[in-house]
């Protein structure tokens, strides 16, 4: 039985060898034994009809923002290039946060690309798992991030995970009235001490002109106060501990509040950026500190009665130097539950490409690409002194204008209480002790 089994095994091996050799010879295609491939009737070789191209439509959920209005006319170029159509749903900022939060929380698959504020919503969305990681996409094209300003890219990362690409950047600059300074024989202030001296000199309530205006409303004031805080050597927190009660922070709060109390217009406590710009553009203030991205509100003759009298300077230096914020105010990411992530990634690449960013920046929308800022075309629409101020700020900028935490809204309210106390001339040290305690309570929940 054993001998018979060996014989069968040998025969099987011989049969397999013969069949394998036959297959090799057939594969060489040298003889007429191989069956000829069938040809389509009356057709050419390889003329089989291509499969129908499946049309894809991705949904971009965005803010009512100049970037959104700027990208819309360019979408036909993207659609022609890729065959991917883009449906844009846009909302006011707060509505956008509410809308996307509800959809993401419901595990909706309909958000393919989302526009978001990295410093306001980014941490919360990332913590909740709303964003798809972009690491795998970027790993296939690692050079794609080389041109992005590093601080801007840092705003859309959590550890090593990249969850967005920057769209719009801004830094805090000094807006000033060239005619008022020239009449007074002054040069734009380079330090906070000089700013205070000049604001005092130019304040003339009888003429309806005040030395300085900025945001004083509780929560909105925090972002514009941040550059003052950093330039005095303070910060919101360190290693998970609130640091609002440090001597440096106390000096910063007293300086900012005092500047608005002594040389600001009436009603400062109710001012966010539209109201502060309203005072400045009506010719009622000599200085304004606010975001560079809002400059057209001051230089557009249809919005400003002093459009031809506005100058720009870097943020003045405090005891710790000039340390303005330089942030990514808006970014885009891909929804974690999107079923069209590849198409969404094609859009993210295109929308943040040098060509598209260059076109948008030419209309005044400041992007995050170094090459565009270094090109004449990229800065052609910006006043030269504004471009110089933006570049000067980038040398020592801080990449956040509010605490980098999830519950940033509660933190801003706690900090804003002390800004308000300083503007009203109250006991700032006592106010900061309370704010620090409330802010720490927020940090303890993170």
């Amino acid at each position: 039985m054993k001998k018979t089994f060996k014989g069968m095994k040998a025969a099987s091996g011989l049969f397999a060898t013969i069949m394998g050799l036959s297959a090799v010879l057939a594969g060489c295609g040298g003889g007429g034994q191989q069956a000829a491939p069938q040809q389509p009737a009356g057709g050419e070789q390889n003329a089989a009809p291509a499969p129908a191209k499946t049309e894809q439509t991705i949904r971009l959920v965005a803010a009512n923002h100049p970037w959104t209005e700027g990208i819309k006319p360019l979408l036909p170029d993207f659609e022609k290039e890729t065959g991917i159509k883009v449906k844009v749903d846009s909302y006011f900022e707060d509505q956008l946060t509410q809308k996307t939060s509800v959809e993401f929380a419901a595990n909706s698959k309909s958000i393919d690309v989302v526009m978001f504020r990295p410093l306001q919503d980014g941490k919360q969305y990332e913590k909740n798992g709303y964003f798809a990681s972009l690491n795998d996409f970027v790993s296939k094209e690692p050079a794609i991030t080389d041109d992005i300003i590093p601080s801007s890219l840092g705003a859309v990362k959590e550890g090593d995970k990249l969850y967005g690409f920057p769209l719009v950047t801004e830094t805090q600059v000094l807006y000033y009235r060239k005619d008022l300074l020239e009449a007074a024989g002054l040069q734009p202030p380079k330090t906070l001490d000089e700013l205070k001296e000049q604001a005092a000199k130019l304040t003339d309530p009888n003429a309806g002109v005040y030395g300085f205006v900025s945001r004083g409303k509780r929560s909105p004031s925090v972002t514009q106060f941040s550059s003052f805080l950093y330039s005095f050597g303070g910060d919101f927190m360190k290693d998970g501990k609130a640091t609002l009660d440090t001597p440096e922070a106390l000096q910063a709060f007293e300086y900012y509040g005092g500047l608005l109390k002594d040389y600001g217009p009436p009603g400062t406590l109710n001012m966010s950026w539209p109201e502060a710009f309203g005072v400045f553009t009506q010719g009622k203030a000599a200085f304004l500190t606010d975001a560079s991205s809002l400059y057209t509100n001051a230089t557009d003759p249809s919005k400003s009665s002093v459009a031809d009298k506005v100058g720009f300077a870097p943020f003045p230096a405090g005891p710790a130097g000039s340390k303005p914020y330089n942030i990514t105010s808006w970014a885009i990411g891909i929804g974690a539950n999107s079923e069209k992530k590849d198409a969404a990634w094609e859009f993210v690449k295109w929308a943040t490409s040098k060509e598209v960013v260059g076109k948008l920046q030419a209309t005044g929308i400041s992007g995050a690409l170094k090459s565009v800022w270094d090109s004449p075309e990229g800065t052609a629409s910006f006043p030269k002194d504004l471009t110089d101020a933006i570049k000067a700020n980038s040398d020592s900028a801080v990449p956040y204008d509010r605490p980098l935490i999830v519950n940033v809204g509660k933190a801003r309210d706690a900090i804003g209480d002390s800004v308000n106390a300083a503007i009203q001339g109250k006991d700032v040290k006592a106010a900061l002790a309370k704010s620090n305690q409330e802010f720490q309570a927020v940090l303890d929940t993170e």
Side-chain angles (χ1 to χ4, degrees):
M1 183 69 183
K2 187 175 181 181
K3 185 175 180 180
T4 304
F5 176 77
K6 284 184 177 179
M8 290 175 64
K9 188 175 180 181
S12 297
L14 178 60
F15 177 75
T17 301
I18 293 171
M19 292 301 293
L21 181 60
S22 298
V24 169
L25 291 172
C28 291
Q33 300 301 318
Q34 185 177 5
Q38 289 186 341
Q39 300 293 322
E44 301 174 356
Q45 283 191 342
N46 303 323
K53 195 172 183 178
T54 302
E55 184 177 278
Q56 283 196 82
T57 298
I58 59 173
R59 178 177 177 233
L60 165 64
V61 182
N64 288 335
H65 185 275
W67 181 87
T68 308
E69 295 308 308
I71 203 73
K72 285 179 180 176
L74 304 180
L75 290 178
D77 296 339
F78 172 73
E79 294 173 351
K80 182 179 179 181
E81 181 181 321
T82 65
I84 301 168
K85 294 191 176 298
V86 182
K87 178 179 182 294
V88 182
D89 288 339
S90 59
Y91 306 89
F92 291 109
E93 292 180 11
D94 289 343
Q95 291 176 320
L96 175 68
T97 298
Q98 185 178 20
K99 177 70 176 175
T100 51
S101 295
V102 170
E103 288 200 38
F104 277 135
N107 292 319
S108 169
K109 299 177 180 178
S110 66
I111 298 179
D112 299 305
V113 181
V114 60
M115 184 177 177
F116 66 97
R117 294 174 289 183
L119 301 180
Q120 188 68 23
D121 307 316
K123 288 281 184 182
Q124 182 72 60
Y125 284 15
E126 165 56 22
K127 181 182 179 181
N128 292 348
Y130 294 165
F131 295 123
S133 171
L134 303 183
N135 288 23
D136 288 344
F137 293 113
V138 171
S139 67
K140 298 172 185 173
E141 306 171 69
I144 197 169
T145 59
D146 289 354
D147 196 24
I148 301 176
I149 297 171
S151 61
S152 297
L153 195 62
V156 287
K157 295 177 73 175
E158 184 66 37
D160 293 331
K161 179 184 177 182
L162 182 66
Y163 56 82
F165 264 45
L167 288 181
V168 183
T169 62
E170 61 187 38
T171 183
Q172 189 169 16
V173 296
L174 179 69
Y175 294 69
Y176 67 90
R177 284 276 301 280
K178 292 186 290 188
D179 57 324
L180 294 181
L181 267 66
E182 184 178 347
L186 300 171
Q187 295 295 317
K190 294 182 179 179
T191 68
L192 291 177
D193 285 342
E194 291 177 359
L195 173 62
K196 191 173 184 178
E197 291 171 6
Q198 295 188 14
K201 188 172 184 176
L202 297 173
T203 296
D204 185 359
N206 293 328
V209 176
Y210 296 87
F212 178 75
V213 66
S214 186
R215 304 183 199 183
K217 199 170 184 177
R218 187 189 187 194
S219 177
S221 69
V222 174
T223 55
Q224 305 313 305
F225 165 70
S226 66
S227 298
F228 292 85
L229 178 63
Y230 308 147
S231 298
F232 269 90
D235 206 332
F236 297 112
M237 54 187 279
K238 184 177 182 181
D239 299 329
K241 299 295 182 183
T243 55
L244 302 178
D245 57 353
T246 63
E248 295 82 4
L250 175 61
Q251 283 186 302
F253 276 92
E254 289 181 334
Y255 176 93
Y256 186 76
L259 203 58
L260 287 170
K261 178 175 70 69
D262 296 334
Y263 312 118
T268 302
L269 289 173
N270 295 317
M271 291 186 182
S272 187
W273 78 263
E275 294 81 13
F277 268 84
V279 170
F280 185 76
T281 57
Q282 290 170 24
K284 298 179 179 178
F287 297 107
L288 161 72
T289 50
D290 214 297
S292 56
S293 60
L294 299 172
Y295 79 94
T296 55
N297 290 281
T299 59
D300 184 342
S302 69
K303 302 176 182 176
S304 172
S305 64
V306 293
D308 60 340
K309 300 179 177 65
V310 178
F312 302 91
F315 189 82
S322 175
K323 294 187 175 181
Y325 68 71
N326 191 344
I327 61 166
T328 299
S329 51
W330 288 96
I332 50 173
I334 297 175
N337 291 325
S338 168
E339 294 179 323
K340 303 169 186 174
K341 290 188 178 69
D342 288 340
W345 170 242
E346 291 302 317
F347 177 78
V348 170
K349 281 197 304 181
W350 173 81
T352 58
S353 66
K354 181 179 178 180
E355 179 183 2
V356 173
V357 172
K359 289 179 179 178
L360 294 175
Q361 194 155 305
T363 67
I365 301 170
S366 51
L369 297 186
K370 293 178 286 187
S371 61
V372 175
W373 278 110
D374 289 338
S375 69
E377 297 80 12
T379 57
S381 66
F382 290 75
K384 184 181 182 308
D385 53 353
L386 176 58
T387 301
D388 293 342
I390 292 171
K391 289 185 175 181
N393 275 2
S394 66
D395 293 337
S396 57
V398 178
Y400 53 92
D401 62 355
R402 68 204 77 184
L404 288 174
I405 60 175
V406 173
N407 293 306
V408 65
K410 291 182 179 178
R412 289 178 66 169
D413 286 344
I415 298 165
D417 283 340
S418 284
V419 175
N420 284 180
I423 295 172
Q424 296 174 82
K426 294 182 178 179
D427 184 341
V428 181
K429 190 172 183 179
L432 282 174
K434 182 172 182 290
S435 291
N436 202 63
Q437 188 176 21
E438 293 175 354
F439 180 34
Q440 186 61 55
V442 174
L443 293 177
D444 291 341
T445 65
E446 293 285 305

